[in-house]
Amino acid sequence: MSIRKAVIEDAPAMARVHVDSWRTTYKGLLPDEMLEKLSYDERTKLWENNIQNERGFIYVAEKDDGQIIGIASGEKREKSKDANIGDLTTVYLFKEEQGKGIGARLTNQILEDLYTLGCTTIYVEVLANNQSRIFYEKMGATLHQEEQVTLRGENVDMLIYEWKKEA
Protein backbone atom coordinates (compact mmCIF):
# COMPACT_ATOMS: atom_id res chain seq x y z
CA MET A 1 0.00 0.00 0.00
CA SER A 2 1.28 3.44 -0.90
CA ILE A 3 0.23 7.06 -0.49
CA ARG A 4 0.68 9.33 -3.50
CA LYS A 5 -0.61 12.59 -4.94
CA ALA A 6 -3.84 12.20 -6.88
CA VAL A 7 -3.87 12.65 -10.65
CA ILE A 8 -6.84 13.38 -12.89
CA GLU A 9 -7.10 9.74 -13.99
CA ASP A 10 -7.81 8.80 -10.36
CA ALA A 11 -11.07 10.77 -10.23
CA PRO A 12 -13.49 7.88 -11.04
CA ALA A 13 -11.90 5.62 -8.41
CA MET A 14 -11.86 8.49 -5.92
CA ALA A 15 -15.56 9.06 -6.58
CA ARG A 16 -16.26 5.41 -5.74
CA VAL A 17 -14.38 5.74 -2.42
CA HIS A 18 -16.19 9.00 -1.69
CA VAL A 19 -19.72 7.73 -2.39
CA ASP A 20 -19.25 4.26 -0.89
CA SER A 21 -17.62 5.57 2.28
CA TRP A 22 -20.41 8.13 2.77
CA ARG A 23 -23.02 5.39 2.34
CA THR A 24 -21.43 3.21 5.01
CA THR A 25 -20.12 5.88 7.42
CA TYR A 26 -23.23 8.06 7.43
CA LYS A 27 -25.87 5.30 7.31
CA GLY A 28 -28.22 6.05 10.19
CA LEU A 29 -26.63 9.48 10.70
CA LEU A 30 -28.00 11.11 7.55
CA PRO A 31 -31.26 10.35 5.73
CA ASP A 32 -31.11 7.27 3.48
CA GLU A 33 -32.59 9.31 0.63
CA MET A 34 -29.66 11.73 0.79
CA LEU A 35 -27.14 8.90 0.67
CA GLU A 36 -28.94 7.15 -2.19
CA LYS A 37 -28.83 10.34 -4.27
CA LEU A 38 -25.03 10.46 -4.18
CA SER A 39 -23.73 10.05 -7.70
CA TYR A 40 -20.46 8.54 -8.90
CA ASP A 41 -20.61 10.80 -11.97
CA GLU A 42 -21.08 13.95 -9.90
CA ARG A 43 -18.29 12.99 -7.50
CA THR A 44 -15.99 12.15 -10.43
CA LYS A 45 -16.52 15.67 -11.78
CA LEU A 46 -15.95 17.11 -8.31
CA TRP A 47 -12.62 15.31 -7.93
CA GLU A 48 -11.54 16.20 -11.47
CA ASN A 49 -12.18 19.86 -10.64
CA ASN A 50 -10.40 19.59 -7.29
CA ILE A 51 -7.33 17.96 -8.84
CA GLN A 52 -7.18 20.51 -11.66
CA ASN A 53 -7.63 23.38 -9.19
CA GLU A 54 -4.25 22.62 -7.58
CA ARG A 55 -5.10 24.91 -4.65
CA GLY A 56 -4.75 22.25 -2.00
CA PHE A 57 -3.33 18.82 -1.46
CA ILE A 58 -5.06 15.63 -2.57
CA TYR A 59 -3.69 12.15 -1.90
CA VAL A 60 -4.84 8.63 -2.57
CA ALA A 61 -4.06 5.42 -0.75
CA GLU A 62 -3.40 2.74 -3.33
CA LYS A 63 -3.01 -1.01 -2.94
CA ASP A 64 -0.13 -2.76 -4.65
CA ASP A 65 -2.53 -3.86 -7.40
CA GLY A 66 -3.39 -0.21 -8.17
CA GLN A 67 -6.81 -0.15 -6.47
CA ILE A 68 -7.51 3.18 -4.77
CA ILE A 69 -8.91 2.49 -1.30
CA GLY A 70 -8.73 5.88 0.38
CA ILE A 71 -8.46 9.60 -0.27
CA ALA A 72 -7.57 12.70 1.71
CA SER A 73 -7.49 16.39 0.93
CA GLY A 74 -6.68 19.66 2.63
CA GLU A 75 -5.91 23.25 1.83
CA LYS A 76 -4.72 26.51 3.31
CA ARG A 77 -7.55 28.99 3.79
CA GLU A 78 -7.36 31.82 1.30
CA LYS A 79 -9.53 34.18 3.33
CA SER A 80 -9.19 34.16 7.08
CA LYS A 81 -8.47 36.58 9.90
CA ASP A 82 -5.33 34.53 10.49
CA ALA A 83 -3.25 33.80 7.40
CA ASN A 84 -1.93 30.56 8.87
CA ILE A 85 -5.11 28.47 8.96
CA GLY A 86 -5.60 25.21 7.09
CA ASP A 87 -8.38 22.67 6.73
CA LEU A 88 -8.31 18.90 6.51
CA THR A 89 -11.30 18.66 4.18
CA THR A 90 -11.51 14.97 3.36
CA VAL A 91 -10.47 11.58 4.73
CA TYR A 92 -12.48 8.79 3.14
CA LEU A 93 -11.74 5.06 3.16
CA PHE A 94 -13.65 2.00 2.11
CA LYS A 95 -15.21 0.49 5.26
CA GLU A 96 -13.16 -2.70 4.99
CA GLU A 97 -9.92 -0.66 4.95
CA GLN A 98 -10.67 1.30 8.11
CA GLY A 99 -8.72 0.55 11.29
CA LYS A 100 -5.53 -0.40 9.43
CA GLY A 101 -3.63 2.88 9.86
CA ILE A 102 -4.33 4.08 6.32
CA GLY A 103 -6.44 7.03 7.46
CA ALA A 104 -3.67 8.06 9.87
CA ARG A 105 -1.09 7.97 7.08
CA LEU A 106 -3.31 10.05 4.80
CA THR A 107 -4.12 12.53 7.57
CA ASN A 108 -0.47 12.91 8.58
CA GLN A 109 0.49 13.62 4.96
CA ILE A 110 -2.06 16.44 4.71
CA LEU A 111 -1.05 17.87 8.11
CA GLU A 112 2.62 17.78 7.13
CA ASP A 113 1.93 19.58 3.84
CA LEU A 114 -0.16 22.26 5.56
CA TYR A 115 2.46 22.80 8.25
CA THR A 116 5.06 23.18 5.48
CA LEU A 117 2.92 25.98 4.01
CA GLY A 118 3.09 27.77 7.36
CA CYS A 119 -0.24 26.72 8.82
CA THR A 120 -0.20 26.85 12.62
CA THR A 121 -3.83 25.77 13.10
CA ILE A 122 -5.60 23.10 11.07
CA TYR A 123 -9.31 22.39 11.40
CA VAL A 124 -11.46 19.40 10.53
CA GLU A 125 -15.25 19.17 10.72
CA VAL A 126 -17.07 16.00 11.72
CA LEU A 127 -20.72 15.18 12.41
CA ALA A 128 -21.29 15.15 16.17
CA ASN A 129 -22.78 11.64 16.12
CA ASN A 130 -20.08 10.23 13.82
CA GLN A 131 -17.62 7.85 15.44
CA SER A 132 -14.88 9.30 13.18
CA ARG A 133 -14.47 12.02 15.78
CA ILE A 134 -12.68 9.43 17.92
CA PHE A 135 -10.18 8.93 15.07
CA TYR A 136 -9.39 12.65 15.05
CA GLU A 137 -9.03 12.70 18.81
CA LYS A 138 -6.55 9.80 18.59
CA MET A 139 -4.71 11.79 15.91
CA GLY A 140 -4.20 14.58 18.45
CA ALA A 141 -6.97 16.98 17.44
CA THR A 142 -8.86 18.78 20.19
CA LEU A 143 -12.45 19.97 20.14
CA HIS A 144 -12.58 23.63 19.16
CA GLN A 145 -16.26 24.36 18.55
CA GLU A 146 -19.74 22.88 18.11
CA GLU A 147 -22.28 24.31 15.69
CA GLN A 148 -25.36 23.42 13.70
CA VAL A 149 -25.03 23.50 9.91
CA THR A 150 -27.15 22.62 6.91
CA LEU A 151 -25.78 19.70 4.91
CA ARG A 152 -27.63 18.96 1.67
CA GLY A 153 -30.76 20.51 3.11
CA GLU A 154 -30.55 18.74 6.49
CA ASN A 155 -29.70 20.46 9.79
CA VAL A 156 -26.91 18.55 11.53
CA ASP A 157 -24.72 19.09 14.58
CA MET A 158 -21.10 19.58 13.58
CA LEU A 159 -17.97 19.37 15.71
CA ILE A 160 -14.91 21.33 14.68
CA TYR A 161 -11.60 19.89 15.83
CA GLU A 162 -8.21 21.56 15.58
CA TRP A 163 -4.53 20.79 15.56
CA LYS A 164 -2.25 23.55 16.81
CA LYS A 165 1.38 23.51 15.75
CA GLU A 166 3.75 24.24 18.57
CA ALA A 167 5.92 27.29 17.87
Side-chain angles (χ1 to χ4, degrees):
M1 202 278 309
S2 63
I3 305 290
R4 64 169 174 79
K5 284 195 172 192
V7 295
I8 197 79
E9 293 81 12
D10 295 329
M14 294 170 70
R16 184 154 300 281
V17 172
H18 188 154
V19 170
D20 291 358
S21 69
W22 265 60
R23 287 180 176 161
T24 56
T25 301
Y26 298 123
K27 185 162 183 61
L29 303 179
L30 295 174
D32 288 344
E33 182 180 318
M34 178 192 299
L35 298 175
E36 290 166 11
K37 285 183 180 178
L38 293 173
S39 159
Y40 295 120
D41 289 339
E42 285 178 15
R43 295 295 142 179
T44 296
K45 290 174 187 161
L46 172 98
W47 285 111
E48 287 171 347
N49 289 335
N50 289 345
I51 293 165
Q52 290 171 339
N53 180 347
E54 296 183 359
R55 199 174 94 207
F57 302 100
I58 304 172
Y59 289 91
V60 295
E62 183 178 55
K63 285 187 169 184
D64 293 340
D65 65 4
Q67 180 192 8
I68 292 174
I69 56 173
I71 56 179
S73 64
E75 62 187 33
K76 188 172 183 178
R77 288 190 185 174
E78 287 188 357
K79 297 179 182 173
S80 178
K81 292 177 188 175
D82 182 342
N84 298 315
I85 301 292
D87 292 294
L88 173 64
T89 53
T90 302
V91 180
Y92 300 140
L93 295 167
F94 285 131
K95 185 177 180 77
E96 62 273 12
E97 302 298 340
Q98 295 173 8
K100 298 178 181 179
I102 300 164
R105 287 182 60 192
L106 285 164
T107 299
N108 282 329
Q109 182 65 61
I110 297 293
L111 295 176
E112 181 181 314
D113 286 353
L114 290 171
Y115 288 142
T116 299
L117 282 182
C119 293
T120 55
T121 303
I122 301 168
Y123 294 106
V124 64
E125 296 179 350
V126 61
L127 292 176
N129 52 359
N130 183 345
Q131 292 300 308
S132 296
R133 64 184 166 69
I134 296 167
F135 166 77
Y136 296 118
E137 292 168 1
K138 286 181 180 178
M139 293 293 300
T142 57
L143 183 61
H144 170 71
Q145 182 179 335
E146 298 179 45
E147 62 183 34
Q148 191 169 76
V149 299
T150 302
L151 180 65
R152 295 183 170 249
E154 296 289 326
N155 290 329
V156 295
D157 293 321
M158 190 72 70
L159 302 177
I160 302 170
Y161 282 87
E162 68 179 358
W163 288 270
K164 288 259 190 203
K165 184 175 182 182
E166 299 298 320

